[in-house]
Amino acid sequence: MSSNSIIPTIGERLIELSSIDSTNNYALQYIKSNLAEHGTVIFAHEQTAGKGQRGKSWVTAPNSNLTLSAILNMRFLSLPQQFYFSAAMALAVQQFFNNYTANETVIKWPNDIYWNDRKAGGILIENSISEKGIWNWAVVGIGLNINQTQFPDWLPNPVALKQITGKTFNCKSLAIELCYYLQTYFALLQTENFQHILALYNHNLYKKNCQVTLKKNNELFETNIIGVNAEGQLITKRIETTQLFSFGEIELVIPKKK
């Protein structure tokens, strides 16, 4: 499939909402109602029940941050290629945010956006798969802290773009700009240059080649992060032993910033 075979481009159709429980829920309902069109982006000024990874909630102040979901046609990829897609979307968001942070933004496995050990945002991908195993649609939910400067104490090391730069931003304008990056990396994915995407992802991986503390089954251990493989597994090395971990199997322990 060529990069021009899916029309329109991401963000060409932008649905702007003042408030919604979850932009991902809104997008998934579009798909269930057979109204889905590739590239449609739902942008909300307020999200009252945002979703994070593994059933967690995404906490965001109203009219302060960038919250959107993109509906993407995925029939050109197979399910075993899911991580390449996840990596491409993470790269798009990381590169977008990096423009404002002096190249200090990285990707924390699998697709959180980090700046100097602080979480600036995250991505939640939810899929629509047919009974025959065909990957029809993906909904890419993105949440980025932009103008919010106060966060709940229980959130681990949050940071917003305003705190980094000292500037206040127009979130809708940033959302439109982000769509350009999503389109760029989606088009790269369509060229099937998967190894290039994986190499870029590993180049921008948080704590790569560093010793870290991981937690598994409530036990802590030290290891080194080597990278991530094509299946999306985290590759680590402790002494002479290489280990692979799937998402949800371990947690990277990051000391809380004061």
Side-chain angles (χ1 to χ4, degrees), residues 12 14 17 35 47 56 95 107 114 202 225 239 256:
E12 188 171 325
L14 181 72
L17 304 172
L35 297 172
Q47 192 170 234
K56 296 180 181 179
Q95 292 294 311
I107 303 167
Y114 263 60
N202 276 299
I225 291 180
I239 309 176
K256 187 172 178 61

Side-chain angles (χ1 to χ4, degrees), residues 107-248:
I107 303 167
K108 176 179 169 287
W109 176 77
N111 51 20
D112 281 339
I113 306 303
Y114 263 60
W115 175 85
N116 284 357
D117 296 325
R118 295 180 183 271
K119 185 174 179 178
I123 302 169
L124 176 64
I125 297 174
E126 297 184 271
N127 298 306
S128 174
I129 300 167
S130 74
E131 293 180 357
K132 296 182 179 181
I134 298 173
W135 190 5
N136 289 322
W137 300 97
V139 172
V140 183
I142 299 167
L144 288 170
N145 299 326
I146 303 299
N147 295 318
Q148 185 172 350
T149 56
Q150 299 293 324
F151 296 91
D153 290 339
W154 54 266
L155 280 180
N157 302 332
V159 71
L161 193 56
K162 182 175 182 177
Q163 293 172 310
I164 298 170
T165 65
K167 300 176 182 178
T168 300
F169 295 86
N170 182 303
C171 291
K172 182 181 177 182
S173 296
L174 289 182
I176 293 169
E177 182 184 343
L178 174 57
C179 288
Y180 166 79
Y181 285 86
L182 294 174
Q183 177 62 39
T184 299
Y185 278 89
F186 190 81
L188 179 61
L189 188 72
Q190 289 176 290
T191 68
E192 300 186 357
N193 197 346
F194 300 138
Q195 292 308 310
H196 178 55
I197 290 172
L198 187 60
L200 283 174
Y201 178 91
N202 276 299
H203 178 73
N204 292 284
L205 183 65
Y206 178 62
K207 295 296 186 183
K208 185 185 178 188
N209 297 324
C210 294
Q211 182 171 307
V212 298
T213 301
L214 298 182
K215 182 167 73 172
K216 181 178 181 181
N217 300 327
N218 292 320
E219 292 186 5
L220 301 177
F221 61 95
E222 304 292 321
T223 189
N224 287 286
I225 291 180
I226 304 302
V228 176
N229 64 19
E231 287 71 45
Q233 295 171 306
L234 186 69
I235 308 167
T236 69
K237 190 170 185 179
R238 181 166 42 163
I239 309 176
E240 295 300 323
T241 303
T242 299
Q243 291 180 288
L244 302 178
F245 296 104
S246 298
F247 175 61

Side-chain angles (χ1 to χ4, degrees), residues 53-127:
Q53 295 283 3
R54 291 185 286 169
K56 296 180 181 179
S57 60
W58 177 262
V59 179
T60 179
N63 304 305
S64 298
N65 299 317
L66 196 163
T67 51
L68 64 76
S69 296
I71 301 174
L72 305 179
N73 186 321
M74 299 306 301
R75 294 186 183 95
F76 70 101
L77 283 184
S78 64
L79 288 174
Q81 297 169 318
Q82 281 186 79
F83 184 70
Y84 294 122
F85 172 63
S86 176
M89 295 298 96
L91 282 164
V93 181
Q94 181 256 340
Q95 292 294 311
F96 157 76
F97 205 81
N98 221 14
N99 278 342
Y100 298 93
T101 61
N103 294 321
E104 295 174 335
T105 303
V106 290
I107 303 167
K108 176 179 169 287
W109 176 77
N111 51 20
D112 281 339
I113 306 303
Y114 263 60
W115 175 85
N116 284 357
D117 296 325
R118 295 180 183 271
K119 185 174 179 178
I123 302 169
L124 176 64
I125 297 174
E126 297 184 271
N127 298 306

